[in-house]
Amino acid sequence: MAVQVRTPRSRERTRVPAPLPALFVVMWSSAFVAGLIGIGAAPPLLLTFARFALAGVLLTGIALAVRAPWPRGRGLAHVAVAGVLVQAVQFAAFYTALGMRVPAAVLALVQGLNPVVIALVAGRVLGERLSPRQWLGFALGAAGVGLAVADRLAFSAAGVTLAVVGLLALSLGTVYQKRFAADMDVLAGTAVQFLVSAPLVGLATVLLETPRVTDPAAFAGAVGWLVLVNSIGAFLLLNTMLRDAPASRVSTLFFLTPAVTAVLAWLLAGQSLHPLAVAGLAVGGVGVLLATRR
C-alpha cells in the first residue's frame, strides 16, 4: 500500500512507496541495540562523534559523485539548524542517557512519543489538519508504546531528562525541516546535517568526557552499523518521506520503534521478549494504520 498525501507546499498528490516505512522502522530501531554495544566500548559522545564524522564524509563523497545540488544561502542555514536539532542534540542526549544506564526500551518509549509532539506543533506551524480517525490512531499508537515497555520502567531522573531533551530536539527539528527545508536534496542535505553536527559533538566529547576506546572490535562494529544502516540508510529514508509526506504522518512510524526495539534486542542481544512488547507492536501498528490512511 502506498500513502497518498497533499502537502501545504504543493497540491500535487505524492506517494510514499509501501516498503519504505517498514524498512525505516527496523533500521531506526536497530540503532538502540547498536548504541548499547557501542556505549559498552567507548563514551557516548565519542561514539556519537565517530558516527557523524564518518557518515558525513561518506555521504559527502556520494553526493559529490552523483552531482547532487547543495543547499546555499538561507537554505543552507535552515538545513544546518534542522541537522543540529535532529542529529547533534537528539543523539548526544539519547546516547548520554544510555551511558547513564537508562534502558534502551525506556528511551524508545520517550522517542515513541514523537508523533504526539509533532502533531501538536505541526498543526500550528505547518497547517496540517488531523481528522478524528487520525487522533484515534495517535491515541492507539501511544498506548502501543506504553505496552511495549511496561515491564522495563527503571530509570534515573537525569537520564530521563536527557531523553526528553532528545525527544524535543527530534520533534522540533522534524517540523523545522518540513517548514523551512522541505525541498532540500536528500543526499546533499543529509550530508550537511552530519557535517555541522560532528564538530559540535566532537567539542563536547573533548570537554565533557575522557575519549578512549576500551574494546576496539565492538566499537568498530557499532560505529559501522550506526553509520551505514542508521545514519545513512535510515536518515535518507526519513528525509525522503519528509519530502513527500506530511510530518505528522511520517512521525507516526515512531510509535512502532519501542516494540520493534524489544524484538531486535531479543533476537540480537538475548534480552527477554515480554508478551506486552508483542501486544504493543500490534496496537501500535493499528494506530499507525489509522493515522496514515486517508
Side-chain angles (χ1 to χ4, degrees), residues 32-33 35-36 39 44 93-111 149 152-164 261 271:
F32 289 103
V33 179
L36 279 173
I39 296 303
F94 278 141
Y95 285 173
T96 301
L98 272 179
M100 293 179 174
R101 301 186 182 278
V102 176
V106 173
L107 289 179
L109 164 65
V110 175
Q111 190 185 71
V149 297
R152 303 187 181 191
L153 295 179
F155 53 85
S156 69
V160 170
T161 299
L162 284 172
V164 172
T261 297
Q271 296 184 2

Side-chain angles (χ1 to χ4, degrees), residues 24 35 38 49 60 97 99 102 115 133 145 170 179 185 229-230 235 239 282 287:
F24 168 77
F49 167 72
T60 296
V102 176
R133 182 175 62 180
V145 167
L170 171 62
R179 173 65 178 85
D185 179 82
V229 176
N230 299 114
F235 270 96
N239 287 337

Side-chain angles (χ1 to χ4, degrees), residues 238-257:
L238 176 63
N239 287 337
T240 298
M241 291 187 294
L242 283 175
R243 183 190 61 191
D244 296 337
S248 58
R249 296 196 178 195
V250 174
S251 69
T252 58
L253 298 174
F254 287 95
F255 281 141
L256 297 176
T257 58

Side-chain angles (χ1 to χ4, degrees), residues 49-84:
F49 167 72
R51 170 182 177 169
F52 291 162
L54 291 177
V57 170
L58 287 176
L59 205 53
T60 296
I62 296 173
L64 291 174
V66 301
R67 297 182 179 181
W70 291 84
R72 300 176 182 276
R74 183 175 298 180
L76 176 61
H78 287 317
V79 171
V81 170
V84 169

Side-chain angles (χ1 to χ4, degrees), residues 131-260:
S131 67
R133 182 175 62 180
Q134 287 176 299
W135 279 113
L136 175 61
F138 280 115
L140 287 176
V145 167
L147 285 173
V149 297
D151 62 324
R152 303 187 181 191
L153 295 179
F155 53 85
S156 69
V160 170
T161 299
L162 284 172
V164 172
V165 171
L167 165 66
L168 294 177
L170 171 62
S171 302
L172 296 177
T174 300
V175 173
Y176 186 95
Q177 178 171 315
K178 185 65 179 178
R179 173 65 178 85
F180 296 107
D183 295 330
M184 77 175 191
D185 179 82
V186 173
L187 285 173
T190 307
V192 168
Q193 292 182 341
F194 289 134
L195 292 177
V196 298
S197 297
L200 297 177
V201 179
L203 178 62
T205 191
V206 171
L207 296 176
L208 303 176
E209 296 179 336
T210 301
R212 64 174 182 172
V213 176
T214 57
D215 188 339
F219 181 75
V223 170
W225 185 271
L226 290 171
V227 168
L228 297 176
V229 176
N230 299 114
S231 292
I232 294 180
F235 270 96
L236 288 180
L237 289 179
L238 176 63
N239 287 337
T240 298
M241 291 187 294
L242 283 175
R243 183 190 61 191
D244 296 337
S248 58
R249 296 196 178 195
V250 174
S251 69
T252 58
L253 298 174
F254 287 95
F255 281 141
L256 297 176
T257 58
V260 174

Side-chain angles (χ1 to χ4, degrees), residues 1-5 14-18 21 244-245 249 292-294:
M1 179 188 71
V3 179
Q4 295 185 344
V5 298
T14 58
R15 300 174 65 87
V16 176
D244 296 337
R249 296 196 178 195
T292 57
R293 293 192 65 180
R294 293 186 66 85

Side-chain angles (χ1 to χ4, degrees), residues 121-136:
V121 177
R124 294 179 176 272
V125 178
L126 302 178
E128 296 180 6
R129 297 181 179 180
L130 302 179
S131 67
R133 182 175 62 180
Q134 287 176 299
W135 279 113
L136 175 61

